[in-house]
Amino acid sequence: MPTSPTPSTASAAADASGGFGAVVRHPLFWPVVALVALLAVNTAVRPGFLSVSILDDHLFGSPIDILRNCAPLMLVALGMSLVIATRGIDLSVGAVVAISGAVALTFIAGAPDPASTTTVFLAIGMALVLGLVLGVWNGFLVSVLGIQPIIATLILMTAGRGVAMLITEGQITTVTSAPFKTLGAGYWLGLPVATLVAFGVFGLVALLVRRTALGMLVESVGINPAASRLAGVRARTIVWTVFALSGLFSGLAGLILSSNVMAADANNAGLFIELDAILAVVIGGTSLAGGKFSLSGTFVGVLIIATLSLTVTNVGISPLVTPLFKALVVAAVTLLQSPAMRRKLAERTRRRGRTAPVPPSDKPADVSTDKVVA
Amino acid sequence: MTSRPGAPVVEMHGITVALGGVRVLDDVNLVLRPGEVHALMGENGAGKSTLIGALTGTVPLLAGDVVVDGAPTTPTSVARSRADGIATVFQETHLSPHLTVAENVMIGHEVRGWFGIDWGRTRERASAALAALGLEDIDPRAPLSALSPATKQLVAVARAIVLEPRVLVLDEPTSSLDADEAARLLGVVRRLCDQGVAVLFVSHFLEQVFEVSDRMTVLRGGRVVAEYRTAEVERAELISKMLGEDIDALQALRSQRLAHHYAGSGEATLRAASLGRQGVLEPTDLELSRGEVVGFAGLRGSGRTELARLMSGAERADRGELWLDGARVQLRSPGVALRHRIAMSSENVRDDGIVAGLTVRENIVLALQALRGWSRPLSRGEQDAVVDTYLDALHLSADDLDRPAGELSGGTQQKVLLARLLATRPHVLILDEPTRGIDIAAKLEIQRRVARLAGEGVAVVFISSQLEEVVRLADRIVVLKDREKIGELSNGPGVTVDTIVEMIAADVDELDELDELDPGDS
């Protein structure tokens, strides 16, 4: 896996230089610190927070809740990472989530036997294909017609909930179907099925991206589309593919969300999930300018956001100020990641260490060398 | 100008700069006098830019002092050096294309009135600065993006002289300019100099340096190796000072070229029949044969780049045909062309050649990987094999392999780009300005490589605005003018730069177009 800051290569680099400094400089250091700090706060408030017990043959506890609740966001953020890496953005993911849930539940509700496995698989298949088609539509607008991604996906973001509304005929569709409920609320081997599905897909895609050349080509297109085209990279196909994948993963996220509550709410399913997904990608260290991306970063980002939501209720913060609390934590994480802030921190620690004879040359000096010597 | 005429305006003594623990400048002296153009010569990495940084306050000094007008000063910031009367001309790419000309010239020095900026007077001052450069015809309200690269570069000069500096620093001001455009800029430099400004001038173009400068300081490895009056130095001596021992390479290249000379046998590999595109290139016939170097000669905008792009799929032709080894091909994209073993390097390495954020290794394997498709990744072993081959062949440093390509010098980037194309084992290789803006050693390296590739049976197209280079390398020269091919020359002892110039000149009615070409530009 030569292409990018995957955890294995990066941690190997940290081991090589051996020092604590290398660990601190690792792009995932501060996000992980934030996650651990959040968990610590929760444990301080409720000492049993991290404990996991077995109840009714499956694992039970706050950590399991986090893992289950983050599943839809995990899938959406996965697609979003790839889209952002190609310099794009996908605002329509929330709408796709709503459409996917609406299609599946309306089909199940209208079927003669809602509880039959065949019905459920057909419903899932339909929703996934529709998600893929919507992603392909976005990709067509961006890669073939050359519309700016933010505008192209805004179309579906706005229209999508209307489409979901049409499908559910303005009602909140509810069904009773045991097999379908398994996807969002069921357990397998003691773990939530939603988590297994989301993490499985995430792992598979992460592997696919780094074991094949897809990751490098996506980054190449994101960094310099013109140069990539001249190097023979099929930029259009790659951009189209990532939008299609984003649609597909959003469709799956919609299924998990609707199965968890067994209802399709065209107005509120997946509301603002696009913003949480973008946030998770950014917290994970992928630049919105495109190019280098880190799926492991996105993974940690999603966990942070899911933990944050649970922290709010656990710590007993008033729901009225929840957005403010969320924003403060996010601001702290992004600040710690900003290069300017890191440089300041590094300077402070160095000044404190002045008493000992420390070689003056360090990272910032190297950077300026590159700039100045032409 | 209060100082005595002829007295130095800037004296730098014993300048020593260390970056990252390495001494990049060691005990360097430099004296700038009013009314003189002082050229700073040296290869990439010799320390020219660092010395400029030391003068303008962007690089901290380890030792040495700077004296401006007899008073010691410490250049700690650009603002400080500006206050001392030292102004730097930025490359045109550092201007803001969406602002107007006046805004670009006056940015940071807008004339203030009662209600904020007084735009009328600001424009007046901008116009005055432009007029001083002979640019009365430019509308200060026009957006900068509407101007040609040369005019933009002159606007950058105008920005610097608004402050009426006594020292003007120009770092590679002509690297993106055509010969006649460069001549215009040099004229401006000369005029400023006559007004008593001291000019520090850095350029890779030897002839420009000889044309414009009065004195030169040669740097190598962070030390001053020689100082000359321009009128008293031989080109060969200067080059040998800049290169150190490498001077023999110049002679070696020439003999190697003679040894290869194309025999003129064999069928056309790539044949263009009335290939053209509306508004881009008139229908053009051309044949490329294996083992032959074909040079495209012409001014910028003559159609040389356009022809290269149409023959390599970078741009789609809307008329005519392309035949490859006797079969008709449709090049819908550069990817399709690469599959047909037709590779092209673009004239603009930074913008559409190198992928700056990827490592050198990734940049080298990129085209090969794109050919294989994303699902069949090159294994680490295969990558190493490819990379090692060109590491040796092009004298790239193994230390650079895992650095982002954007951090490397222009010459190294050109070599990385060449390695990327060679990795696809092309039968037809089209190189558009592969030697622009790079140092002599890298230039020789690439020229030598081109000659060797032709020897190995590749059909090579070599495009350069330096006609001398084209004459030296090409077996056959295709001359273009005004988006049209006007003729071909079979290269031989009788063919010189002048032959091409005459050919271009003879093609037109007005003889004054002759001036467009600067034959000595190499």
Side-chain angles (χ1 to χ4, degrees):
Chain A
M1 292 197 279
T3 39
S4 100
T6 51
S8 64
T9 50
S11 59
D15 291 345
S17 45
F20 178 68
V23 178
V24 175
R25 272 197 296 275
H26 190 278
L28 278 183
F29 177 75
W30 290 112
V32 169
V33 166
L35 182 58
V36 171
L38 273 179
L39 294 174
V41 167
N42 280 298
T43 318
V45 172
R46 188 159 64 82
F49 183 80
L50 284 177
S51 69
V52 174
S53 55
I54 295 179
L55 204 72
D56 295 340
D57 275 349
H58 61 74
L59 297 172
F60 184 86
S62 301
I64 302 299
D65 285 347
I66 293 174
L67 292 183
R68 193 185 58 220
N69 294 344
C70 79
L73 182 59
M74 187 67 80
L75 288 164
V76 171
L78 171 64
M80 190 69 80
S81 302
L82 297 177
V83 169
I84 285 179
T86 62
R87 290 188 175 185
I89 197 141
D90 188 350
L91 296 183
S92 72
V93 286
V96 176
V97 162
I99 293 176
S100 152
V103 165
L105 285 208
T106 307
F107 179 79
I108 293 175
D113 178 12
S116 101
T117 331
T118 326
T119 308
V120 169
F121 273 116
L122 270 176
I124 291 177
M126 273 172 65
L128 289 183
V129 168
L130 195 58
L132 186 66
V133 167
L134 293 175
V136 166
W137 161 255
N138 281 334
F140 173 76
L141 292 182
V142 173
S143 68
V144 179
L145 300 189
I147 301 175
Q148 285 180 354
I150 195 165
I151 302 299
T153 57
L154 192 62
I155 295 171
L156 188 55
M157 179 192 182
T158 319
R161 296 206 179 265
V163 172
M165 211 56 132
L166 273 179
I167 296 170
T168 58
E169 293 171 340
Q171 310 293 316
I172 295 182
T173 310
T174 55
V175 295
T176 321
S177 166
F180 188 63
K181 198 170 168 45
T182 312
L183 181 61
Y187 289 86
W188 190 60
L189 297 177
L191 285 165
V193 173
T195 309
L196 293 173
V197 170
F199 282 35
V201 170
F202 197 98
L204 215 69
V205 171
L207 215 66
L208 184 81
V209 160
R210 293 307 176 196
R211 291 284 170 178
T212 68
L214 189 61
M216 183 180 93
L217 297 182
V218 162
E219 284 176 347
S220 171
V221 169
I223 295 167
N224 191 338
S228 304
R229 178 175 168 272
L230 285 182
V233 179
R234 295 185 194 173
R236 177 183 290 185
T237 317
I238 285 187
V239 171
W240 205 338
T241 308
V242 295
F243 273 100
L245 285 177
S246 177
L248 178 67
F249 299 151
S250 302
L252 184 54
L255 284 171
I256 292 177
L257 264 177
S258 61
S259 146
N260 194 25
V261 292
M262 290 308 274
D265 183 346
N267 280 321
N268 294 311
L271 193 62
F272 297 138
I273 200 172
E274 61 277 341
L275 299 183
D276 275 348
I278 293 168
L279 210 54
V281 172
V282 171
I283 289 177
T286 299
S287 159
L288 282 182
K292 291 277 181 191
F293 66 97
S294 158
L295 289 184
S296 41
T298 299
F299 188 86
V300 176
V302 169
L303 288 182
I304 288 179
I305 289 177
T307 312
L308 207 49
S309 306
L310 200 65
T311 309
V312 171
T313 44
N314 187 38
V315 176
I317 293 170
S318 157
L320 294 173
V321 294
T322 302
L324 177 66
F325 176 71
K326 256 183 145 177
L328 286 177
V329 175
V330 170
V333 176
T334 38
L335 266 183
L336 285 172
Q337 274 179 300
S338 92
M341 195 74 184
R342 286 172 161 217
R343 216 173 301 130
K344 286 242 163 68
L345 281 174
E347 272 166 25
R348 286 193 62 170
T349 41
R350 203 176 314 149
R351 214 172 298 140
R352 217 170 295 152
R354 255 305 137 71
T355 41
V358 180
S361 69
D362 209 70
K363 208 73 198 168
D366 290 344
V367 171
S368 62
T369 316
D370 295 330
K371 259 189 212 150
V372 175
V373 185
Chain B
M1 260 121 287
T2 48
S3 53
R4 296 173 284 122
V9 57
V10 170
E11 290 172 86
M12 300 175 82
H13 294 296
I15 302 295
T16 302
V17 172
L19 293 173
V22 182
R23 286 205 169 190
V24 288
L25 281 183
D26 197 359
D27 196 19
V28 170
N29 298 328
L30 182 71
V31 177
L32 302 180
R33 296 172 179 82
E36 264 189 18
V37 177
H38 196 116
L40 213 47
M41 308 296 293
E43 284 206 86
N44 289 343
K48 292 170 297 184
S49 298
T50 313
L51 186 56
I52 290 175
L55 178 62
T56 55
T58 56
V59 175
L61 302 185
L62 194 67
D65 25 63
V66 180
V67 179
V68 177
D69 272 340
T73 178
T74 324
T76 45
S77 70
V78 175
R80 177 71 188 270
S81 73
R82 276 193 166 187
D84 283 337
I86 300 167
T88 311
V89 174
F90 293 100
Q91 304 235 327
E92 40 111 351
T93 47
H94 290 156
L95 299 174
S96 315
H98 302 300
L99 296 183
T100 65
V101 171
E103 285 164 341
N104 267 294
V105 170
M106 298 299 295
I107 198 160
H109 314 284
E110 300 88 350
V111 184
R112 304 273 165 174
W114 281 97
F115 306 102
I117 294 170
D118 181 343
W119 283 110
R121 277 172 56 211
T122 301
R123 271 193 290 272
E124 268 170 37
R125 272 195 65 189
S127 297
L130 290 166
L133 300 178
L135 296 172
E136 296 88 348
D137 50 328
I138 296 183
D139 178 6
R141 292 164 191 261
L144 186 83
S145 53
L147 306 180
S148 71
T151 322
K152 283 184 203 163
Q153 188 63 63
L154 290 170
V155 169
V157 177
R159 179 195 273 193
I161 66 164
V162 158
L163 296 173
E164 299 183 350
R166 284 163 310 143
V167 180
L168 192 64
V169 180
L170 298 112
D171 191 356
E172 293 288 354
T174 56
S175 62
S176 60
L177 304 187
D178 228 337
D180 60 327
E181 296 168 342
R184 188 173 178 189
L185 185 101
L186 296 186
V188 168
V189 170
R190 213 50 257 187
R191 182 132 36 98
L192 285 171
C193 191
D194 293 341
Q195 291 165 12
V197 176
V199 177
L200 184 60
F201 186 82
V202 177
S203 172
H204 277 304
F205 298 99
L206 278 187
E207 293 309 319
Q208 292 179 3
V209 172
F210 274 101
E211 190 186 321
V212 80
S213 71
D214 302 298
R215 281 172 205 272
M216 44 180 77
T217 293
V218 184
L219 291 175
R220 194 171 75 231
R223 290 167 180 275
V224 175
V225 290
E227 263 191 78
Y228 301 109
R229 282 186 166 278
T230 306
E232 293 165 1
V233 64
E234 292 284 322
R235 279 161 179 70
E237 185 186 345
L238 176 66
I239 294 172
S240 71
K241 281 286 182 206
M242 286 165 63
L243 289 179
E245 286 76 39
D246 288 356
I247 187 66
D248 293 339
L250 267 171
Q251 272 72 34
L253 179 76
R254 204 156 302 192
S255 53
Q256 195 174 356
R257 187 73 206 101
L258 289 174
H260 153 247
H261 201 80
Y262 175 63
S265 66
E267 207 175 308
T269 296
L270 187 63
R271 183 164 68 84
S274 302
L275 190 74
R277 185 179 162 92
Q278 175 81 45
V280 173
L281 188 74
E282 295 296 317
T284 302
D285 294 311
L286 182 67
E287 288 184 0
L288 305 178
S289 307
R290 308 201 67 150
E292 185 190 29
V293 180
V294 174
F296 287 2
L299 303 172
R300 174 180 302 225
S302 62
R304 53 179 206 219
T305 293
E306 290 75 6
L307 181 55
R309 289 176 65 84
L310 289 178
M311 291 183 83
S312 63
E315 199 165 344
R316 244 199 262 192
D318 62 4
R319 61 197 61 178
E321 296 162 4
L322 259 182
W323 294 75
L324 182 68
D325 295 324
R328 185 158 177 210
V329 287
Q330 300 264 16
L331 303 182
R332 279 174 290 107
S333 71
V336 173
L338 280 168
R339 225 151 290 151
H340 285 300
R341 303 268 181 110
I342 302 169
M344 184 200 73
S345 75
S346 140
E347 62 177 331
N348 196 336
V349 206
R350 252 171 218 283
D351 291 346
D352 47 14
I354 285 295
V355 182
L358 293 185
T359 63
V360 170
R361 171 194 299 276
E362 287 169 333
N363 265 289
I364 291 178
V365 301
L366 184 63
L368 191 57
Q369 183 61 66
L371 273 185
R372 288 176 47 146
W374 64 268
S375 56
R376 293 172 54 221
L378 290 158
S379 70
R380 185 75 183 190
E382 287 170 301
Q383 286 189 15
D384 285 342
V386 170
V387 168
D388 286 348
T389 309
Y390 298 106
L391 214 59
D392 290 348
L394 295 169
H395 295 110
L396 288 162
S397 159
D399 299 335
D400 290 340
L401 271 186
D402 293 311
R403 285 176 64 191
E407 290 179 0
L408 305 175
S409 70
T412 317
Q413 290 183 343
Q414 278 288 4
K415 290 199 276 184
V416 169
L417 187 58
L418 191 56
R420 175 199 292 169
L421 297 179
L422 293 181
T424 66
R425 304 193 170 276
H427 293 161
V428 178
L429 181 64
I430 301 173
L431 302 172
D432 194 357
E433 295 272 17
T435 58
R436 182 201 283 173
I438 66 178
D439 65 59
I440 290 178
K443 202 174 273 194
L444 287 174
E445 193 101 22
I446 285 174
Q447 293 178 358
R448 206 179 293 139
R449 196 69 210 166
V450 164
R452 183 162 333 147
L453 279 167
E456 290 163 3
V458 177
V460 184
V461 170
F462 186 86
I463 303 176
S464 173
S465 47
Q466 299 179 26
L467 291 181
E468 211 205 85
E469 209 177 29
V470 176
V471 170
R472 183 155 36 151
L473 271 172
D475 299 300
R476 186 153 55 93
I477 299 167
V478 173
V479 185
L480 294 111
K481 175 164 196 180
D482 297 339
R483 305 183 177 278
E484 204 177 350
K485 173 177 156 184
I486 59 169
E488 281 186 24
L489 290 167
S490 190
N491 203 355
V495 176
T496 64
V497 169
D498 292 336
T499 323
I500 300 174
V501 175
E502 278 161 24
M503 194 161 168
I504 295 176
D507 185 63
V508 275
D509 328 308
E510 300 99 349
L511 275 168
D512 57 352
E513 295 218 6
L514 237 174
D515 298 338
E516 282 185 24
L517 261 183
D518 178 8
D521 176 24
S522 87

